[in-house]
Amino acid sequence: MAGTFQSRWARLGVCLCALAAVTLALVGQAPPARAASCPPIPGTLAPNAKTAAARFTMMIRIQNQSNVNAYVNPNEATGGLADRIRPQDIFVINTRFQDQSGSSSPSLQAQLIPQLRAAFPCNRIVALNGLGPDPTQPGYLYALADQGLYALMIDWEPADWADAQTLTPSIPPFTYIFKKALRRMNGWARAISANLGGIPGGTGTRVGMVPIEQGKYWDYGQIGQTLDANNTRLGGRHAGVQSVMTQASCTAGGPTFGARLKPLLDEYVRKTIYLKRRKVKGHGKKRHVVTVRIPKKVKIPKKQRPNQNSLAVQISFTSVPQPGNPMPILATGAPTADQCVAAGLARGAGAFFFWASEDSMRLLFQQPTVASLRPPA
């Protein structure tokens, strides 16, 4: 069954790539080279730095022109945020976004990129795409693939999967079973990576995933290894990138967020193996021997170990929180988000994907931790 599923998606990937070629002709070509004065690009999402301040990297959500206007504006008095951005920070264009008018599309989202590059020639840009096969609709799998992106990351959650199912009925139901989900991620990543290698402007783009948060039931270190394996065409052993949806942990506060990140980061260093042991159960005539599986943590060999600096954690928040709201982006305020940044850095995290509006980010820059990390330039 797994082989059938993988081959199905390999065939679909070829079809999607053909659709991509049509779209790419409409939305643009590869970007100009980076400015000569730019510092070296980190090989991972966050730079490999000893101090938390040097490691701290913001991944900033971009959905529309209003977001771009705020970030390219250097005047804080008029709401500008440009002075808070550093060269290692990353803009994430959420191509899954559909505005209230229903007019969002990959071609319109591509128009945001030249504006960001003109203001921030040193910064990397990532596309957060869905799984859809329609190049004219939000969430298109290959949206912005010709734009010289640092990475094309796939949102791996039930909603995006259901959207893709609507257009491609042959896709099976979403699964929460980790082994099945991992096989599917591997199939998607392999097909996308192969197709990017043939798209002008996409040859240097790495493939990443943004999976749902499933705690101990999923091993995100294994996902990191899988992504590494599907990015070797770029010439490196550890070019995969991942961002886990950790927002709910932050809603509960900085200590809870830090506690969640400890095992998450550890999965990039250690994996769980299961040892078989024979065990005697019962007494007398009811006595019998059974085989049990005992979990044990072992270190991943260094050459196979994914890079923790290529793992981004997520924080969703708002400038007007609603305590008790089940959605983290509506329940979490900027002060709590700031506490989560401090807790995350203390645990060793470096890249933080902030899922927030520009108004919310303005308030975050006024909080003690982030204000010290990103003062006006």
Side-chain angles (χ1 to χ4, degrees):
M1 181 65 180
T4 301
F5 179 78
Q6 300 291 358
S7 60
R8 179 190 305 151
W9 276 109
R11 293 193 299 272
L12 181 59
V14 174
C15 296
L16 290 175
C17 194
L19 288 172
V22 177
T23 305
L24 301 180
L26 298 175
V27 299
Q29 299 300 322
R34 286 165 56 89
S37 59
C38 291
I41 303 174
T44 49
L45 292 178
N48 183 22
K50 293 182 179 180
T51 66
R55 194 171 65 248
F56 178 64
T57 299
M58 298 189 299
M59 296 180 69
I60 302 165
R61 186 194 69 175
I62 299 292
Q63 297 194 146
N64 51 37
Q65 186 64 51
S66 175
N67 299 156
V68 173
N69 291 343
Y71 285 104
V72 301
N73 179 3
N75 188 349
E76 286 207 7
T78 58
L81 295 171
D83 284 350
R84 302 286 184 164
I85 306 302
R86 301 295 184 266
Q88 69 198 56
D89 296 330
I90 302 168
F91 293 104
V92 183
I93 299 182
N94 177 22
T95 70
R96 301 154 53 254
F97 173 71
Q98 179 60 278
D99 59 22
Q100 292 182 347
S101 67
S103 61
S104 295
S105 68
S107 59
L108 289 177
Q109 289 153 347
Q111 295 174 19
L112 304 176
I113 293 180
Q115 302 171 62
L116 290 171
R117 285 211 168 102
F120 304 101
C122 298
N123 293 75
R124 295 165 288 173
I125 296 177
V126 167
L128 174 60
N129 293 352
L131 300 159
D134 189 341
T136 68
Q137 296 299 315
Y140 173 46
L141 180 61
Y142 288 99
L144 313 185
D146 71 329
Q147 296 294 309
L149 302 171
Y150 175 74
L152 188 156
M153 300 185 74
I154 302 301
D155 204 62
W156 197 273
E157 60 179 329
D160 286 277
W161 191 271
D163 289 343
Q165 272 189 306
T166 300
L167 298 174
T168 312
S170 62
I171 299 178
F174 186 85
T175 181
Y176 291 91
I177 300 172
F178 177 65
K179 286 186 177 181
K180 290 184 178 180
L182 186 63
R183 286 198 297 269
R184 292 179 182 182
M185 288 185 198
N186 182 51
W188 280 87
R190 183 168 61 245
I192 294 168
S193 183
N195 288 334
L196 283 173
I199 296 175
T203 55
T205 300
R206 58 196 70 201
V207 180
M209 290 284 172
V210 183
I212 56 172
E213 164 71 292
Q214 290 291 284
K216 65 180 181 180
Y217 300 104
W218 282 27
D219 187 325
Y220 296 94
Q222 288 189 45
I223 297 176
Q225 287 181 290
T226 297
L227 293 170
D228 281 350
N230 286 295
N231 280 287
T232 54
R233 65 180 173 81
L234 299 175
R237 184 173 285 165
H238 303 293
V241 291
Q242 179 179 196
S243 178
V244 180
M245 300 180 191
T246 54
Q247 301 98 316
S249 297
C250 180
T251 302
T256 301
F257 189 69
R260 171 62 189 109
L261 297 198
K262 184 178 186 301
L264 175 60
L265 290 164
D266 189 62
E267 288 171 359
Y268 268 56
V269 179
R270 298 173 180 83
K271 64 180 179 180
T272 301
I273 63 171
Y274 291 90
L275 305 175
K276 291 184 178 181
R277 293 286 187 269
R278 294 171 65 84
K279 186 175 181 180
V280 177
K281 284 193 172 184
H283 302 278
K285 292 182 178 180
K286 293 184 178 181
R287 185 181 180 188
H288 60 287
V289 177
V290 297
T291 300
V292 296
R293 298 171 74 233
I294 301 174
K296 180 182 179 181
K297 286 280 188 181
V298 298
K299 279 194 173 182
I300 302 170
K302 284 190 176 181
K303 290 185 178 181
Q304 302 173 18
R305 192 179 299 170
N307 195 316
Q308 290 179 327
N309 292 317
S310 284
L311 170 67
V313 297
Q314 293 189 28
I315 298 175
S316 296
F317 65 99
T318 177
S319 57
V320 188
Q322 304 168 16
N325 193 299
M327 297 182 64
I329 195 170
L330 297 177
T332 311
T336 301
D338 188 68
Q339 294 164 17
C340 291
V341 171
L345 289 171
R347 286 295 185 188
F352 294 79
F353 185 178
F354 293 110
W355 197 262
S357 68
E358 61 268 32
D359 287 338
S360 302
M361 291 297 291
R362 288 188 188 99
L363 190 56
L364 180 66
F365 289 127
Q366 298 173 22
Q367 308 306 311
T369 299
V370 176
S372 67
L373 292 166
R374 285 294 183 273

